[in-house]
Amino acid sequence: MVMQAPPSGVTIRMYRQGHGDCFLLAFPGKGTRPFFVLIDCGLCKGSQTRRKSSGDEVTMKEVVEDIADATGCHIDLVVISHEHEDHLSGFNSARAVFDKIDIERVWFAWTESREDDLANKLRKQYKDTLLGLTASLERMRRCQDNHLKGVGARLEQMLTLETDEAMSAAASEIRGITNKRAMEYLKEKVKNERVEFLRPGQTPIRLKNTGGVKAYVLGPPEDPDALTENDPEEGEAYGLFGFGGTSAGVMEQAYGATLTPSSKWAVESQKPFDLQFRLPLTLGASTQAGKFLKEHYSDEDWRKIDEDWLRTTEQLALRMGDYVNNTSLVLAFELPNTKKVLLFVGDAQRGNWASWLDLSWKLGDGSTITAEQLLNRTVFYKVGHHGSHNATLKEHGLEMMALSEEQAREFVAMIPANSEWAYGKEDQWEHPLPALSRALHRKCGGRVFQIDKGFPSRPSGVSPEDWEEFKGRAAECPKGLFFEYTIADDQ
Amino acid sequence: MNSLGAANRSRPAARRLKVFAFDPSIGGRIKTAGINQTTLQIPWEQDACTGCLLPDPGPVGEYVEVVDVDPASNCFYAPVDLNQRELLATDGLDPLESSPQFHQQMVYAVAMTTIDIFERALGRRALWSPRRPEDDGEKALQVDERSTFKADDYVQRLRIYPHALREANAYYSPRRKALLFGYFAAPRGDYENVQGTMIFTCLSHDIVAHETTHALLDGLHPRFNEATNVDMRALHEAFADIVALFQRFSNAELLRHQIAQTRGDLETENLLGDLAQQVGRATGRHGALRSAIGKRDKNDKWCARPPDPTALDRTTSPHDRGAILVAAVFRAFISVYKAQTADLLRIATSGSGILPEGHIHPDLVNRLAEEAAYTARQLLQMCIRGLDYCPPVDLTFGDYLRGILTGDRDADPEDIENHRLALIEAFRDWGIYPARVRNMSLDALCYPRLDDVESLNGEGTEEVAYAVDPANSPSSPDASAECSKHGSADAIVLPQAQGLSDYGRWERKDRQVFQEGAARLKATELEPGEEEEMPASSQAGPPDLSRRRLRMEWDLETDRKMAFNDMRHNARVIHKWVKALDGGTLARLGLTRDRTAPATVARDREGLPSIEVHSVRTAVRRESRGSVRTELVVELLQRRRGYLDPEKQKRNDMSCPEKCEKEDFWFRSGCTIILNPNTSRFRYIIRTQGNVADKSELARIRDYLSGRLLVSNDAFRMQRVLPESGSEGFAVLHTFKEASTW
């Protein structure tokens, strides 16, 4: 069934596929055809939601087929927030359906551009890091130490998120990994000039034929420190991830023979002493040094440290995950009449959020608008990173939104989280964080949608009339595929 | 080496070894080039049986073994032999960054110095914490039944890996009984480090001393690395920093240099108050990793850090909180130093006490340096000795202050230089004070001496019994007089449920019980091995220790393995004795043997709540006229399975001990007793709050642990900070770049 746009304003659909983002927006467009915007389409492996009634899973194919129906196989704009499995996997798993859909235009963050020097540099470091992590994981899998095995298991999970691959040595060719393939697919699907890489602070983009809906770009920041969450207060300038030594060590031991001369020096430069001092760990007991090694480092396995240096790779993976989250494209859509704002933050974390407050835009009429003003007028918030603890700032985030009484009355949040799955995982993810979830419910007066929860119910402090009015603007797909909510834009 | 032995039978007191005074960076600046290296005098090591010179190549000595494998570079480095004639003659290798053998020498020398300081303060030889197989994921043994100490758990040497990691990190691994030091390429240039050059954490004097202290503290209190409140981790860090900080005051040359530079004012910027400068700069800070007196801001401008009584309330990070404790102790040092040198300044300035511009006289520099060194040594000793007077788990900064003061009062009753006063003042300025103390007077802060109370009032009289009992005689003039005399009537903390009104009664009764018990403990002489003939305590009625004997010969000369075995023996003796105490007495020690305790409380073979004799060690005390006494410090603990979910806790509390689910954390509770075997009296009972069956304490720790989840910096795995079960908790804590100030 074709999705309708309201006469003025926007209808927002949150699909309920699992732990991941997939939003379809319908603005009033030319004639009767709405202007469709699709923001992300993915989920974490294994996080499919189950329908409460029947117990069967919601599949990606169903979701994308619904998108095809709703849009009449024509999407005006696809927005990819960042390159993580839970925002992308649909473009791979439901590729056949997407093939039928016409896509007019695609927006990425500037970090995906191949013509940006900083983006290229970051990507190179990211690739190196990922290679190192992959090798390190291989090694951890083989080791006997229980503690490190745990580290390895967690590392594997994080790497899956980065790549959407069952990790193996074969994944060393990073361009071939699934997430990348999804990105490439989209870039090839639309013609080149219709792929845009957006930067924070650039001139607001008017969506065609929507009567003046504007998109403001807030993130990702063009500052490597902000992206890597380095705290400039402490002046921690670490390259991108600051684990060069560990990475070099893993790379050498994994790919030693195949290293190029330049990477060989990179590896050598991370060694602490000259060649003359270095004795092989396999040295026989016939020499003095070898005898020492045998006496003091062959028994007593519990005291050995062969793999301890790999422990940092977990932190490295976490930093890398945070970094990719921070490359999230953050968009504020402003409605033309009431100037209400819809805020889509992807999975932006602290560094990304903190950078917005410096932004302002000169408008055509000579006035200036600041990011803070946009936040103040926000009436719809797509909760960042499934509601994790550091992807929604408090004073400089949530508390700045929907400041006027009128806006506060209609403020709505959507949490793309399958909490049942996230909390049930062996190593739990607190998605959403209870404290944040409470704060959102308070702020929204109960108007919070979450993927794995039913339609919101009226909290005790809200009058039945107000609640009925809200319900009038919201809808639930009878097949359990999505929630829908409409924001009016009447003068 | 026979010729050596024949020529001179008395062995040398010390071995001299060259090290970097701070770290290699100091040598790169003209201003400080002269103090770049120093020669440490470490205890001469010689094998007691064979007479062979130690350390063996490694160096491998009595206390530590340096094993220089570098798995990240897939190699190892040949061990240095410090007994080579050339090295004996030249105080070891010259400080060289490029030679791994010098690195080995330096970690050995610095670690041994730290151990030496520690031993001198405590008056006994240091032991490493015994190996606990459960840390390796093996099945936990019934700790209480076999007592904490098993022969095969003895770890003679702390292992040191100078090049274990490739990161800006160094840590003590309690699981491996090892120090792991990292190295890394300087990620960017600054005026000390050239980008890409190697920075070695094992060449930072401070970092080596800091990590060694972690290991020593773990040997003393293995449960101190269980973070059950906001102070525990911070305390470990702060204590390690305090040792590292004061250790350098023994470097006379450096001290003189810095005193000359600051014209005696150690509150201005100087190297003495800074920790780990090179690593600090290399990890992107503008100065040292931590400083006790101030730091450089973003613009590289140094500013002093004045005490802030509210700072502690504003931070929960272990390093930030630890820094506050360090600053407080350093402030106490400064105030004693100032008071002690005021007369010198007056003498040097014809009475005005105001120094003229320019350099100060070298003689004055020397005298000031001496005073600074002396004061530093005294304060460091106090800080170390205070550890014996702390509750066995879950202590706060305030408890530690009380421990320091109590310990010092025992060791040095006079306190002519006002060290104790200075500490109280500095702690108050920084807003550190213990809970449940009526005021910040010395009297109230020291734990009450059980034998003191007695000698003042006569034994067990009704006056004593009820004087501190407001419920019974609130208007008695005697009562208020007694109250004020002792300041803190509730210093021995009662279970909350018991209430204050029980206090007077328990004091009186318990003193009797304890004295009787202690008298029996002391009066005993027993052949080794006879103990097995003892009847099972449960059938024996009242505790009978008449044929037992405690082994008290643990001092600086004792063989360490023997000290360990004696400790194990003493633990067994005490364990049996404690188990046989009646319920009321146990309750007053903060222990329970109640069969109906919640099912989650760990049981022994008899199905009763088990008691772990956690540690038995000797402590030296000096009487007011100078005679020296050896006392016994005993730690008793009980534990209980804790669950983060209160419902789950309730469910398991109600089930039976065998069926309890796997715990989320262990809740421990108990006491430290200090026993004077010469007077047969218990001098102190220092307890944790409540006992192991106590609901509110368990809830507090649960709240702490679950609250901590929310402040983790990790978007995915909140659970990782939980429960740290002691294995590699330090690894996470110590990553220099992760923490905000370290």
Side-chain angles (χ1 to χ4, degrees):
Chain A
M1 204 174 70
V2 177
M3 184 179 175
Q4 300 294 336
S8 76
V10 60
T11 295
I12 302 160
R13 236 177 223 195
M14 174 170 72
Y15 281 98
R16 303 174 66 188
Q17 74 284 10
H19 202 67
D21 284 26
C22 183
F23 290 84
L24 185 60
L25 279 60
F27 295 97
K30 200 177 188 179
T32 53
R33 237 200 73 78
F35 185 95
F36 288 109
V37 180
L38 177 71
I39 305 180
D40 291 339
C41 184
L43 81 168
C44 286
K45 210 156 261 124
S47 72
Q48 284 83 351
T49 32
R50 290 179 181 280
R51 292 183 173 90
K52 291 280 177 302
S53 48
S54 57
D56 58 342
E57 278 177 6
V58 175
T59 65
M60 207 32 141
K61 191 159 165 281
E62 276 180 277
V63 166
V64 181
E65 270 169 358
D66 188 80
I67 293 173
D69 283 353
T71 59
C73 285
H74 183 92
I75 301 175
D76 299 272
L77 171 64
V78 169
V79 176
I80 299 301
S81 68
H82 65 293
E83 191 190 319
H84 265 165
E85 177 198 15
D86 51 342
H87 296 253
L88 279 178
S89 67
F91 295 104
N92 290 318
S93 60
R95 172 77 53 93
V97 192
F98 270 113
D99 283 341
K100 298 188 299 190
I101 303 177
D102 218 16
I103 295 173
E104 189 78 20
R105 189 173 286 279
V106 181
W107 286 357
F108 294 104
W110 63 269
T111 43
E112 303 307 325
S113 163
R114 303 221 168 263
E115 272 141 41
D116 184 292
D117 287 345
L118 179 58
N120 285 336
K121 197 177 134 200
L122 289 170
R123 219 178 358 257
K124 163 89 169 62
Q125 292 192 47
Y126 174 83
K127 178 184 164 185
D128 289 350
T129 310
L130 200 56
L131 276 171
L133 285 173
T134 312
S136 155
L137 175 63
E138 277 303 303
R139 189 158 161 184
M140 269 189 236
R141 278 198 184 134
R142 290 195 306 266
C143 82
Q144 296 301 309
D145 188 306
N146 283 331
H147 287 258
L148 275 161
K149 273 195 178 147
V151 176
R154 297 199 294 267
L155 186 60
E156 176 155 10
Q157 205 172 15
M158 287 184 277
L159 291 185
T160 310
L161 185 75
E162 293 299 334
T163 59
D164 191 7
E165 289 288 337
M167 290 307 292
S168 68
S172 58
E173 187 38 58
I174 301 296
R175 265 185 67 80
I177 63 181
T178 312
N179 280 350
K180 285 275 187 243
R181 281 207 298 274
M183 306 285 269
E184 293 304 321
Y185 167 70
L186 281 167
K187 284 178 193 167
E188 277 158 29
K189 193 170 165 71
V190 294
K191 288 192 191 79
N192 253 341
E193 65 272 22
R194 295 199 186 139
V195 177
E196 288 178 61
F197 302 97
L198 309 188
R199 293 171 187 280
Q202 72 176 64
T203 315
I205 309 165
R206 281 172 161 292
L207 302 190
K208 253 188 211 159
N209 306 325
T210 56
V213 174
K214 273 195 261 179
Y216 290 82
V217 185
L218 276 62
E222 292 176 279
D223 169 8
D225 278 347
L227 288 172
T228 51
E229 300 267 335
N230 274 339
D231 178 2
E233 288 293 309
E234 290 291 340
E236 299 181 21
Y238 261 90
L240 181 53
F241 303 112
F243 290 86
T246 303
S247 295
V250 189
M251 299 279 272
E252 182 190 26
Q253 292 179 27
Y255 310 111
T258 60
L259 288 175
T260 61
S262 71
S263 47
K264 262 187 189 146
W265 166 246
V267 163
E268 178 67 24
S269 71
Q270 299 292 339
K271 294 193 172 168
F273 299 108
D274 287 346
L275 183 64
Q276 55 181 340
F277 292 108
R278 304 203 291 256
L279 305 173
L281 284 162
T282 49
L283 193 69
S286 55
T287 61
Q288 282 283 330
K291 197 162 150 257
F292 174 84
L293 192 66
K294 189 168 185 314
E295 278 169 11
H296 292 94
Y297 200 73
S298 57
D299 314 324
E300 293 199 301
D301 280 342
W302 63 278
R303 301 194 89 167
K304 285 192 180 172
I305 52 152
D306 288 341
E307 325 282 350
D308 276 65
W309 61 288
L310 294 173
R311 194 178 292 276
T312 47
T313 53
E314 186 184 8
Q315 286 172 36
L316 176 54
L318 280 169
R319 277 176 95 96
M320 196 167 76
D322 285 351
Y323 157 75
V324 175
N325 283 337
N326 258 338
T327 62
S328 285
L329 178 59
V330 178
L331 293 177
F333 292 98
E334 187 192 55
L335 301 182
N337 299 322
T338 55
K339 308 288 180 198
K340 290 175 186 171
V341 169
L342 289 60
L343 185 63
F344 286 85
V345 301
D347 285 354
Q349 309 219 341
R350 211 176 306 141
N352 194 327
W353 283 74
S355 70
W356 309 340
L357 293 181
D358 302 331
L359 295 176
S360 62
W361 295 264
K362 275 256 185 306
L363 298 185
D365 58 5
S367 63
T368 306
I369 185 169
T370 64
E372 183 169 351
Q373 286 168 326
L374 291 174
L375 281 181
N376 293 162
R377 290 197 244 120
T378 297
V379 296
F380 173 90
Y381 170 44
K382 195 295 285 186
V383 180
H385 198 222
H386 325 288
S388 84
H389 75 295
N390 62 353
T392 300
L393 289 205
K394 203 174 161 211
E395 290 88 355
H396 300 112
L398 192 56
E399 285 177 7
M400 279 187 174
M401 295 179 202
L403 281 198
S404 82
E405 202 178 313
E406 204 179 325
Q407 289 154 355
R409 257 208 313 275
E410 68 166 313
F411 187 66
V412 164
M414 287 188 174
I415 311 177
N418 181 352
S419 62
E420 205 172 302
W421 172 81
Y423 277 80
K425 274 156 53 59
E426 195 175 324
D427 63 336
Q428 212 176 58
W429 289 354
E430 287 194 306
H431 292 173
L433 185 75
L436 177 62
S437 177
R438 278 195 300 274
L440 285 168
H441 275 89
R442 235 187 347 260
K443 176 108 186 167
C444 298
R447 298 179 299 272
V448 178
F449 297 90
Q450 185 175 321
I451 282 180
D452 66 326
K453 299 275 192 266
F455 192 86
S457 50
R458 181 174 69 90
S460 52
V462 175
S463 73
E465 298 80 53
D466 286 355
W467 194 256
E468 282 309 312
E469 199 213 325
F470 158 68
K471 274 171 71 175
R473 279 180 274 131
E476 185 180 3
C477 161
K479 289 186 285 179
L481 277 179
F482 57 80
F483 290 120
E484 210 172 76
Y485 176 71
T486 299
I487 298 168
D489 187 37
D490 307 319
Q491 277 293 16
Chain B
M1 295 295 151
N2 273 341
S3 56
L4 186 72
N8 183 1
R9 292 218 173 267
S10 68
R11 51 186 212 186
R15 174 190 290 270
R16 296 164 56 87
L17 288 173
K18 286 180 279 206
V19 298
F20 284 117
F22 290 95
D23 53 46
S25 69
I26 302 284
R29 286 186 254 159
I30 295 265
K31 207 166 109 180
T32 45
I35 50 167
N36 180 33
Q37 78 170 55
T38 184
T39 306
L40 293 178
Q41 307 218 9
I42 61 158
W44 186 263
E45 291 199 276
Q46 204 161 336
D47 192 300
C49 309
T50 62
C52 283
L53 270 188
L54 289 177
D56 289 329
V60 178
E62 162 68 27
Y63 293 84
V64 298
E65 54 189 2
V66 180
V67 179
D68 205 356
V69 294
D70 179 358
S73 305
N74 207 12
C75 68
F76 83 105
Y77 310 109
V80 65
D81 181 3
L82 295 176
N83 292 322
Q84 272 175 14
R85 273 178 221 188
E86 296 80 357
L87 296 189
L88 279 170
T90 55
D91 300 346
L93 295 162
D94 282 329
L96 278 178
E97 285 175 82
S98 57
S99 149
Q101 282 72 38
F102 169 72
H103 295 207
Q104 297 157 9
Q105 168 180 310
M106 172 142 173
V107 290
Y108 170 74
V110 177
M112 286 303 292
T113 307
T114 311
I115 295 167
D116 188 43
I117 288 173
F118 216 75
E119 290 192 332
R120 283 171 192 252
L122 291 173
R124 57 172 185 258
R125 297 192 80 172
L127 299 179
W128 308 117
S129 66
R131 187 181 169 218
R132 283 177 291 181
E134 65 263 31
D135 290 345
D136 296 334
E138 292 167 31
K139 194 173 169 290
L141 296 156
Q142 274 281 356
V143 179
D144 65 305
E145 280 306 307
R146 297 179 53 188
S147 100
T148 318
F149 308 103
K150 299 178 282 291
D152 49 342
D153 293 341
Y154 175 64
V155 178
Q156 185 192 349
R157 297 185 190 98
L158 178 71
R159 185 166 284 191
I160 302 179
Y161 295 108
H163 306 105
L165 313 163
R166 272 192 183 181
E167 51 181 311
N169 197 2
Y171 59 89
Y172 163 60
S173 161
R175 185 158 64 96
R176 299 200 165 78
K177 314 294 170 207
L179 308 185
L180 283 73
F181 292 96
Y183 59 87
F184 59 103
R188 46 165 209 165
D190 61 41
Y191 75 81
E192 273 169 20
N193 304 307
V194 176
Q195 183 172 14
T197 53
M198 279 294 155
I199 313 259
F200 297 95
T201 57
C202 72
L203 290 186
S204 165
H205 204 121
D206 302 324
I207 294 177
V208 178
H210 179 103
E211 301 310 332
T212 310
T213 308
H214 275 312
L216 285 162
L217 182 51
D218 190 49
L220 206 57
H221 288 285
R223 299 292 177 215
F224 273 20
N225 65 33
E226 290 181 0
T228 52
N229 65 42
V230 70
D231 280 350
M232 286 301 278
R233 270 291 148 84
L235 196 92
H236 233 287
E237 292 307 314
F239 181 74
D241 275 355
I242 289 168
V243 174
L245 200 58
F246 284 131
Q247 186 166 323
R248 63 166 61 136
F249 281 82
S250 55
N251 180 345
E253 220 170 319
L254 169 72
L255 201 53
R256 282 196 292 270
H257 182 273
Q258 288 296 301
I259 285 191
Q261 287 226 326
T262 58
R263 306 170 72 241
D265 182 359
L266 293 179
E267 274 175 302
T268 54
E269 186 185 16
N270 65 72
L271 294 170
L272 295 164
D274 283 353
L275 284 168
Q277 346 240 335
Q278 185 188 30
V279 174
R281 286 218 171 254
T283 49
R285 278 159 202 84
H286 295 280
L289 217 39
R290 282 203 278 276
S291 171
I293 44 175
K295 63 173 186 181
R296 287 178 172 274
D297 62 14
K298 263 180 275 183
N299 307 320
D300 227 16
K301 189 172 172 303
W302 191 85
C303 28
R305 191 182 182 196
D308 175 358
T310 62
L312 209 52
D313 300 334
R314 290 197 305 267
T315 173
T316 52
S317 119
H319 284 108
D320 290 349
R321 288 183 77 88
I324 291 172
L325 183 62
V326 176
V329 172
F330 202 74
R331 187 173 168 78
F333 162 78
I334 293 283
S335 62
V336 175
Y337 165 76
K338 273 189 185 162
Q340 290 301 110
T341 53
D343 57 344
L344 289 173
L345 292 181
R346 284 192 299 272
I347 294 168
T349 56
S350 326
S352 75
I354 300 162
L355 289 167
E357 292 289 307
H359 291 291
I360 60 176
H361 197 281
D363 284 348
L364 182 59
V365 170
N366 285 341
R367 287 287 297 112
L368 290 175
E370 273 170 34
E371 289 296 338
Y374 173 80
T375 305
R377 198 159 56 234
Q378 293 296 315
L379 270 168
L380 180 52
Q381 285 205 346
M382 285 171 74
C383 290
I384 296 173
R385 210 183 281 127
L387 295 172
D388 271 347
Y389 295 77
C390 285
V393 287
D394 194 38
L395 80 164
T396 61
F397 286 176
D399 294 332
Y400 181 49
L401 174 64
R402 300 189 71 182
I404 296 177
L405 297 172
T406 311
D408 190 57
R409 189 183 60 181
D410 268 8
D412 176 18
E414 316 255 310
D415 192 24
I416 297 163
E417 290 116 359
N418 285 323
H419 289 128
R420 296 203 276 276
L421 195 60
L423 268 176
I424 295 173
E425 191 182 33
F427 273 58
R428 195 178 45 209
D429 290 349
W430 274 104
I432 306 173
Y433 40 82
R436 289 169 299 276
V437 165
R438 290 205 202 293
N439 58 56
M440 283 291 275
S441 70
L442 179 64
D443 206 28
L445 286 170
C446 286
Y447 289 108
R449 272 201 287 246
L450 299 179
D451 55 353
D452 249 13
V453 179
E454 213 148 290
S455 55
L456 283 167
N457 299 292
E459 210 161 306
T461 58
E462 290 303 296
E463 288 78 29
V464 182
Y466 294 108
V468 284
D469 184 348
N472 285 353
S473 56
S475 57
S476 149
D478 281 359
S480 41
E482 281 309 318
C483 275
S484 58
K485 197 180 288 177
H486 299 300
S488 62
D490 59 344
I492 301 176
V493 181
L494 291 168
Q496 282 155 358
Q498 216 170 334
L500 199 62
S501 61
D502 264 357
Y503 180 75
R505 275 193 290 280
W506 97 254
E507 265 249 332
R508 176 177 48 117
K509 187 182 164 211
D510 289 354
R511 219 176 301 118
Q512 285 166 358
V513 173
F514 293 154
Q515 280 151 19
E516 285 160 19
R520 287 191 212 107
L521 265 174
K522 186 232 171 185
T524 56
E525 292 293 321
L526 170 76
E527 295 303 312
E530 236 177 303
E531 63 195 40
E532 299 313 320
E533 296 163 23
M534 291 296 298
S537 49
S538 53
Q539 307 150 13
D544 178 9
L545 288 157
S546 57
R547 297 171 71 211
R548 302 271 155 159
R549 180 171 153 240
L550 295 169
R551 298 177 186 161
M552 301 290 293
E553 304 81 28
W554 179 8
D555 56 27
L556 288 173
E557 305 306 317
T558 320
D559 178 79
R560 290 169 69 231
K561 180 80 186 278
M562 202 166 85
F564 182 84
N565 287 336
D566 284 357
M567 178 151 81
R568 187 182 51 164
H569 164 90
N570 289 344
R572 244 192 253 123
V573 172
I574 302 259
H575 186 242
K576 280 199 174 157
W577 174 73
V578 171
K579 266 181 23 176
L581 289 173
D582 69 79
T585 313
L586 283 169
R588 279 143 198 160
L589 283 171
L591 303 170
T592 179
R593 291 279 283 169
D594 185 352
R595 195 176 287 277
T596 62
T600 46
V601 174
R603 309 285 160 142
D604 60 14
R605 268 186 233 139
E606 298 152 55
L608 299 173
S610 60
I611 296 173
E612 181 182 340
V613 181
H614 190 59
S615 176
V616 184
R617 45 187 197 264
T618 56
V620 178
R621 180 164 74 86
R622 188 167 285 112
E623 298 284 5
S624 54
R625 291 169 59 202
S627 64
V628 174
R629 297 272 155 85
T630 306
E631 298 185 326
L632 210 57
V633 184
V634 179
E635 289 180 10
L636 303 171
L637 274 180
Q638 294 190 294
R639 57 184 178 146
R640 174 176 177 184
R641 290 173 199 280
Y643 303 90
L644 290 176
D645 175 5
E647 287 305 313
K648 194 171 173 190
Q649 185 80 47
K650 214 176 273 171
R651 193 166 70 232
N652 282 284
D653 281 348
M654 307 295 279
S655 86
C656 60
E658 303 80 45
K659 289 190 186 147
C660 282
E661 296 166 78
K662 171 103 178 76
E663 72 283 349
D664 294 328
F665 62 95
W666 282 106
F667 164 53
R668 297 178 207 272
S669 178
C671 66
T672 300
I673 308 169
I674 292 169
L675 163 74
N676 178 351
N678 297 315
T679 60
S680 354
R681 280 173 187 166
F682 282 80
R683 291 174 50 76
Y684 300 102
I685 297 163
I686 300 162
R687 290 182 35 181
T688 55
Q689 294 294 300
N691 71 21
V692 75
D694 195 73
K695 222 187 263 173
S696 60
E697 275 304 291
L698 177 62
R700 183 184 60 73
I701 288 171
R702 178 187 306 120
D703 287 351
Y704 173 69
L705 290 174
S706 37
R708 227 160 38 123
L709 297 179
L710 308 186
V711 299
S712 142
N713 282 322
D714 163 354
F716 297 102
R717 299 211 51 269
M718 305 271 184
Q719 224 186 10
R720 191 172 56 161
V721 284
L722 235 208
E724 292 164 48
S725 68
S727 62
E728 301 293 5
F730 292 104
V732 180
L733 195 65
H734 266 194
T735 315
F736 300 140
K737 56 200 152 208
E738 291 287 294
S740 51
T741 51
W742 175 270

